[in-house]
Amino acid sequence: MNMRSKEQYIGRTRSLQRAWIKGAGLTDEELQRPLIAVANTYQDFSPENVHLRQIGDAVKAGVRMAGGTPCEFNAFHVTDSEAFAASSMRYVLPSRDIVADLVELMVLGHGFDALVLIASGDKVLPGMLMAAARLNIPTILLYGGPTKYGIADGKKVFLETVYDGIGEVERGLITDDILADYEENLFPFSGACDTATSGNTAGIYSEALGMALPGSGTLPAGSNFQVRAAKRTGMQIMQLLEKNILPSDIMTPEAFENAIRVALSVSGSTNMVLHLIAIGIEMGVEIDFDTFDRLGRDTPTLVKLAPSGPHGVTDLDSAGGVPSVLKALGDLVNLKAKTVADQTIGEIVETRKVSLNSQVVSSRDKPVSEQGAIFILKGSLAPDGAVVKASGVKPEMWRMNGIARVFEDEEAAIDAIRASDIEENTVIIIRNEGPKGGPGMREMLGATSALVGMGLDSTCALVTDGRFSGATHGPAIGYVTPEAARGGPIGLVRNGDRIILDLDKRVLDLEVENEEMERRRGEYQPPEPRVKRGYLKHYADQVAPATRGAVMPR
């Protein structure tokens, strides 16, 4: 067993260091045991995180039961659902890399022997996995989990129900009282909302990646099932330390492909593209847009989670969770990939009781769709690629020859949509919202929900160099690269230009002659930077493009 902590706390010359840590209440006996860092994202103002104090206590109990000494510290979660369609959303994606840095600094700065990650939040979880890859010490992750969908006005209430409801009130389809009822009933308990949000998608792909215990990626938040899983997670980290099983043993190219296939097959969030590229960079595994395109073409969609379908993530849990999806995918997944359970994926599929509930998890011979939920589009408007959740697009919108209406930020587009100032057959262009140009690459859930709520999702599309929430549905194409701030064609689009969208051919084209584009490029004047000081200024100066995971320099 490799105990790094002994170098920091054991021996006569480390007396002051022992005195200091004893000042926090630790004993000599505890310092003789392995010191296990427990990085928690508890905070008392986000439903995804508010229950994690209890979960952290359960993890620590498991560590102690297995002979270790847990040492808990807090990371943080900049809560995107509390920041949609606001300038504060610019801080959400940048927080991912700071979480990775924070965990690295705390673990290496205190000489811990192993690491347990308790993650809730769709930037926090990939940030923590980035840290796990970077540190490469025995590590295990536990996702904070979803909560069951709410019930209001006789219907299931998901995150998108509330947001779409704003436009439905303005159209006279529902009343303000019904919208208020949705708001009150969205969260029956703490946890992430019961949709394939980016956070829930990350919980699913982290388990398929092998970094979380089998079945833990979909457990209901704060349930007795999750508390017991937390104790087992704390116990299992001691086994990983004893056997020196490292993230590099688990997060292999084959494991990343497993994670991508599972996330595609459950109609997961487009944010998986950004984050798995970033985690791969830290692990030295090359993943790019083409990886998702290649795997998506022969990965069937087997589960239609909300907002693309009727099922919640807790329904998937009841149907056997990630192991059921792995079993249904069969030979499309690599069964030899290792996991933190000290079992291979194949052993988990064979030994774990799974439930192939045909109402939730379809079989390979009767899939929801022959292809994965996420498509990569390319063309003259997106030379390096763009991303769309095809499973959330109505069939009549898979092909479109539309007219561009250009907006320089999300707020202006939302105002126009809600003012009924958008004609049919319009392609709404929202630009200067990418990683560099935003800065921060905001999620455009406000704009897409306005589009759906106003009943325009059958006649209009939205195209942006920003990104989308997992709760997004409708014809929404994001991650257009190069972004406007890096000289991409999206920065040269003008009102009235013709845009060609064809999901079958995976094409996104701007029908403007090359000579005209060059003339526009010569006349182009970039907008003034929105942020001129502070962390976002540093982020805008340093961040990589979306095709490289929007990572900061390593």
Side-chain angles (χ1 to χ4, degrees), residues 32-243:
Q32 290 294 330
R33 301 169 183 167
L35 298 185
I36 310 300
V38 179
N40 198 343
T41 53
Y42 164 78
Q43 57 194 37
D44 61 10
F45 53 88
S46 301
E48 304 100 308
N49 310 91
V50 72
H51 63 292
L52 294 183
R53 182 177 287 170
Q54 177 194 25
I55 300 305
D57 287 343
V59 167
K60 290 187 289 185
V63 171
R64 292 189 185 99
M65 284 191 287
T69 298
C71 298
E72 185 177 11
F73 65 88
N74 260 62
F76 61 89
H77 173 208
V78 182
T79 312
D80 52 0
S81 294
E82 296 172 10
F84 285 129
S87 60
S88 50
M89 175 55 80
R90 304 190 195 285
Y91 292 86
V92 174
L93 179 59
S95 73
R96 181 196 66 187
D97 293 63
I98 298 179
V99 166
D101 295 344
L102 184 155
V103 173
E104 174 195 0
L105 293 171
M106 287 295 290
V107 170
L108 295 183
H110 294 87
F112 292 123
D113 299 305
L115 173 62
V116 179
L117 303 167
I118 305 173
S120 254
D122 62 334
K123 309 306 170 292
V124 173
L125 193 155
M128 285 189 164
L129 286 179
M130 290 166 67
R134 189 183 302 173
L135 292 165
N136 204 32
I137 64 173
T139 302
I140 189 169
L141 181 140
L142 178 64
Y143 175 51
T147 188
K148 189 79 169 173
Y149 52 77
I151 299 290
D153 193 37
K155 65 185 291 185
K156 295 179 181 179
V157 180
F158 298 103
L159 183 156
E160 60 276 10
T161 312
V162 181
Y163 228 142
D164 294 351
I166 298 170
E168 291 173 351
V169 170
E170 294 179 0
R171 293 169 63 203
L173 299 179
I174 64 173
T175 65
D176 279 314
D177 287 342
I178 290 175
L179 179 60
D181 203 23
Y182 292 168
E183 178 184 325
E184 290 291 330
N185 289 284
L186 174 59
F187 285 97
F189 306 99
S190 61
C193 57
D194 206 11
T195 296
T197 58
S198 304
N200 284 330
T201 300
I204 289 167
Y205 69 60
S206 63
E207 181 183 337
L209 186 62
M211 288 300 293
L213 288 180
S216 65
T218 55
L219 288 174
S223 64
N224 59 53
F225 306 106
Q226 189 180 55
V227 172
R228 294 200 296 267
K231 291 178 180 178
R232 293 188 187 103
T233 295
M235 296 172 71
Q236 185 62 19
I237 191 61
M238 299 303 295
Q239 288 295 311
L240 298 180
L241 178 60
E242 178 68 30
K243 297 182 178 183

Side-chain angles (χ1 to χ4, degrees), residues 471-544:
T472 295
H473 52 139
I477 297 97
Y479 300 82
V480 171
T481 50
E483 62 175 295
R486 298 179 194 270
I490 191 171
L492 305 178
V493 179
R494 294 186 178 178
N495 289 330
D497 285 349
R498 192 163 291 278
I499 308 292
I500 306 298
L501 169 65
D502 191 324
L503 296 194
D504 285 316
K505 295 181 179 178
R506 305 198 181 204
V507 164
L508 182 62
D509 275 336
L510 171 63
E511 283 206 331
V512 175
E513 295 293 334
N514 290 337
E515 294 81 1
E516 171 63 14
M517 289 295 287
E518 288 306 312
R519 188 183 67 79
R520 292 181 188 182
R521 195 175 300 279
E523 297 174 350
Y524 180 71
Q525 294 293 324
E528 282 288 313
R530 291 189 175 97
V531 180
K532 298 182 180 180
R533 59 181 297 180
Y535 184 76
L536 283 190
K537 171 64 165 61
H538 169 69
Y539 183 84
D541 290 343
Q542 301 293 327
V543 68

Side-chain angles (χ1 to χ4, degrees), residues 416-456:
I417 294 168
R418 290 189 174 149
S420 299
D421 189 26
I422 300 294
E423 297 180 0
E424 292 187 1
N425 203 44
T426 295
V427 177
I428 299 166
I429 303 288
I430 303 178
R431 63 191 180 196
N432 294 306
E433 290 283 12
K436 180 180 179 67
M441 203 179 189
R442 292 194 293 176
E443 291 180 338
M444 304 282 111
L445 181 62
T448 57
S449 291
L451 195 75
V452 173
M454 296 300 289
L456 297 173

